Amino acid sequence: MTTKILNISFVLLVIILNGCTTSSGIHKNKLQKDIILFVIKDVNIIPMTKENKIIENATVVINDSKIVSINERIPDGAKIIDGKGKWLIPGLIDMHVHTPTDNNYKYEKSSPTQGANVFIDTQDVMLLYIANGVTTVFELNARAPHFSQRNEIAKGIVIGPRMALAALIDGGEGNGRIANNANDGRQAVRSAKAEGYRFIKVYSALNIETFKAIVDEAHKQGLKVLGHIPDAFAGHLEEVFIPHFDMVAHTEEYSKQSQNKTTEDAKYFAKLAKDNNTWLTSSLTTMIWIGKQLRSIDYVRNSPTLKYLHPLTRDKWLTSNSYFERTSPEFIAHIDTFIDFQKKMIKEFNDAGVPIVAGTDAGIPGVVGGFALQDELGLMVDAGMTNEEVLISATRLPAEWLGIDDEVGTVEKGKYADLILLDQNPLENIKNTQTINGVFVNGKWIDKNRIKKLLSELERKNSKNQDKFKWKERMNY
Ligand SMILES: [Zn+2]
């Protein structure tokens, strides 16, 4: 009898010690009791509040998913993290991503009961964000599977960022929901709301009447609107700036509207945006990646982060690259003028006081989730923003725009413990946001050794499966 109990205990112990047994290694085992009480000692907090006064040598207590105190009593039984000489900032927010999902590529010729034929391990996708300290993302072409991903995270099956979801509405023969008149536009907004969306993304092929109806209906329904500047506004850009068109989803939307890409144009656009309170998402890294792969696919092939992608995505980027397939010297020159102009615009919009939020368009070939946001922050500084302004654009401001600023975006008592512990001060050099010692995701601590291990496991898994996935054969899986 005693032996039997011992044996069972031994089995339990082995499970507890090994934790999980899943491929990605991050899933929690039901038998494993997660540590929920943490104290970070002697840390320098960069709170990213409006005053943003650094709190030196502070003690931060995290219980369950929240920051429960700063510089108060240290509770018993907590796991202590030494913060000496380190810097604590809020988790980063990427305001423009496209996360891959399970997909039925056989759709046209499949049975009505056919599910997906290519599956994505959500943890593999989300690990890349977490590894880079990105604890909230804004999915700008959200569909039903993104709700499932968000639920996997909410259930604790996957450790990943908070996900805000925008439903896309386009005109013509375009993407997502299609609306080509005001009534259809309004109905598309109401349907999106009924499906659970809180944000609407407007897209390029909408006509003027439909665009205006969508923005108006969204406001009535309590949804915020962001997105492209529809092509229909070319030549009369002023008309797009109507109340409650809340944000332009990337800087290039303005570049398309400028003939000569002058500083005067940049200033003029900034004034229009400022007067209408239309915010801007940066997305500089996307355009740079487009410029690179127009020149050579080797930029993508040799990218150090390519190994973290699902093999099917990797193969698509290399063998069916939508940019490289259309390359020409004229296209390259065109994109180069965009890149220059976008830096100019970031500076002018920032000087004019237009709120800018960091966003990457991760999912565009070359732009790898999480890592891309780290690149984006550096590019925003290069364009003329201060280190502090860039940090604000990736923490407090996006939280405000999304309406979750009472939950995340700053390091304050009562907020969720979405935090990055850095070895070096990011106010001195923005690249220091890459000196990650560990990340708190909704109160769960993942230190740099664990991040490193998980990334190398993912790399190994992807390379093992590389030959199994060919983009051109995806219908056959
Ligand atoms: Zn996008």
Side-chain angles (χ1 to χ4, degrees), residues 105 117 135 172 197 210 267 290 292 306 346 357 362 372 396 420 453 471 475:
Y105 291 102
N117 71 327
T135 53
Y197 291 98
T210 312
K267 280 188 199 297
I290 293 173
K292 281 184 185 173
L306 198 69
I346 292 290
V357 296
R396 193 184 78 232
I420 318 177
K453 182 168 172 277
W471 179 251
M475 298 283 282

Side-chain angles (χ1 to χ4, degrees), residues 301-356:
R301 196 186 319 279
N302 299 329
S303 162
T305 53
L306 198 69
K307 60 193 179 208
Y308 300 130
L309 291 180
H310 188 280
L312 188 66
T313 310
R314 182 180 183 274
D315 190 67
K316 181 188 183 189
W317 288 9
L318 293 176
T319 65
S320 301
N321 186 296
S322 53
Y323 296 104
F324 188 63
E325 283 171 358
R326 286 182 291 152
T327 193
S328 70
E330 295 73 34
F331 197 3
I332 293 174
H334 177 71
I335 292 297
D336 285 351
T337 64
F338 269 50
I339 293 171
D340 286 343
F341 187 58
Q342 286 180 199
K343 286 188 200 150
K344 231 179 247 177
M345 265 191 293
I346 292 290
K347 169 141 186 36
E348 294 302 334
F349 276 63
N350 191 45
D351 288 352
V354 178
I356 301 173

Side-chain angles (χ1 to χ4, degrees), residues 185-255:
R186 288 182 188 279
Q187 184 52 45
V189 171
R190 291 191 293 262
S191 300
K193 186 181 183 186
E195 290 163 35
Y197 291 98
R198 306 284 282 269
F199 305 98
I200 298 292
K201 184 187 188 185
V202 285
Y203 214 69
S204 305
L206 286 169
N207 65 40
I208 292 177
E209 170 210 26
T210 312
F211 171 86
K212 289 186 174 171
I214 288 171
V215 174
D216 182 62
E217 186 67 29
H219 178 59
K220 282 186 183 143
Q221 300 293 336
L223 312 185
K224 288 186 92 167
V225 180
L226 82 162
H228 288 199
I229 295 172
D231 299 339
F233 288 94
H236 36 115
L237 181 64
E238 298 77 8
E239 282 186 51
V240 89
F241 291 96
I242 54 174
H244 315 298
F245 179 36
D246 299 300
M247 182 153 66
V248 169
H250 26 69
T251 322
E252 85 186 70
E253 294 306 310
Y254 289 100
S255 310

Side-chain angles (χ1 to χ4, degrees), residues 380-399:
M380 292 167 84
V381 170
D382 290 347
M385 293 173 73
T386 66
N387 295 332
E388 187 180 29
E389 285 167 345
V390 169
L391 286 173
I392 292 169
S393 81
T395 55
R396 193 184 78 232
L397 277 187

Side-chain angles (χ1 to χ4, degrees), residues 96 98 201 250 361:
H96 191 152
H98 300 282
K201 184 187 188 185
H250 26 69
D361 221 343

Side-chain angles (χ1 to χ4, degrees), residues 210-477:
T210 312
F211 171 86
K212 289 186 174 171
I214 288 171
V215 174
D216 182 62
E217 186 67 29
H219 178 59
K220 282 186 183 143
Q221 300 293 336
L223 312 185
K224 288 186 92 167
V225 180
L226 82 162
H228 288 199
I229 295 172
D231 299 339
F233 288 94
H236 36 115
L237 181 64
E238 298 77 8
E239 282 186 51
V240 89
F241 291 96
I242 54 174
H244 315 298
F245 179 36
D246 299 300
M247 182 153 66
V248 169
H250 26 69
T251 322
E252 85 186 70
E253 294 306 310
Y254 289 100
S255 310
K256 289 186 204 158
Q257 306 286 340
S258 172
Q259 279 287 312
N260 300 315
K261 316 269 186 288
T262 57
T263 305
E264 285 62 45
D265 276 6
K267 280 188 199 297
Y268 177 60
F269 297 156
K271 186 178 176 341
L272 290 173
K274 176 69 185 167
D275 290 349
N276 195 52
N277 193 26
T278 305
W279 293 31
L280 178 67
T281 311
S282 56
S283 82
L284 297 171
T285 187
T286 312
M287 204 44 63
I288 286 175
W289 266 108
I290 293 173
K292 281 184 185 173
Q293 61 205 302
L294 285 174
R295 286 176 166 82
S296 167
I297 203 73
D298 285 342
Y299 282 109
V300 181
R301 196 186 319 279
N302 299 329
S303 162
T305 53
L306 198 69
K307 60 193 179 208
Y308 300 130
L309 291 180
H310 188 280
L312 188 66
T313 310
R314 182 180 183 274
D315 190 67
K316 181 188 183 189
W317 288 9
L318 293 176
T319 65
S320 301
N321 186 296
S322 53
Y323 296 104
F324 188 63
E325 283 171 358
R326 286 182 291 152
T327 193
S328 70
E330 295 73 34
F331 197 3
I332 293 174
H334 177 71
I335 292 297
D336 285 351
T337 64
F338 269 50
I339 293 171
D340 286 343
F341 187 58
Q342 286 180 199
K343 286 188 200 150
K344 231 179 247 177
M345 265 191 293
I346 292 290
K347 169 141 186 36
E348 294 302 334
F349 276 63
N350 191 45
D351 288 352
V354 178
I356 301 173
V357 296
T360 60
D361 221 343
I364 294 284
V367 187
V368 175
F371 295 94
L373 189 68
Q374 293 286 355
D375 294 340
E376 187 76 23
L377 303 185
L379 291 167
M380 292 167 84
V381 170
D382 290 347
M385 293 173 73
T386 66
N387 295 332
E388 187 180 29
E389 285 167 345
V390 169
L391 286 173
I392 292 169
S393 81
T395 55
R396 193 184 78 232
L397 277 187
E400 272 176 29
W401 194 93
L402 292 168
I404 52 172
D405 49 324
D406 57 343
E407 300 172 12
V408 297
T410 58
V411 184
E412 287 178 285
K413 183 174 169 174
K415 296 267 170 102
Y416 283 114
D418 286 1
L419 302 164
I420 318 177
L421 186 63
L422 298 169
D423 287 329
Q424 289 171 57
N425 182 355
L427 293 171
E428 274 171 17
N429 183 343
I430 198 67
K431 294 229 154 46
N432 288 343
T433 55
Q434 297 171 31
T435 63
I436 294 176
N437 189 276
V439 181
F440 273 101
V441 189
N442 198 32
K444 292 195 173 64
W445 171 242
I446 304 167
D447 68 17
K448 65 177 174 190
N449 294 328
R450 185 137 176 249
I451 290 171
K452 204 173 149 200
K453 182 168 172 277
L454 292 167
L455 284 175
S456 64
E457 281 171 9
L458 176 58
E459 178 187 351
R460 222 174 309 132
K461 174 173 132 184
N462 288 341
S463 78
K464 202 175 75 193
N465 291 331
Q466 192 55 61
D467 293 336
K468 291 188 198 151
F469 292 95
K470 297 282 171 248
W471 179 251
K472 288 178 176 137
E473 289 157 30
R474 67 193 182 284
M475 298 283 282
N476 304 326
Y477 297 135

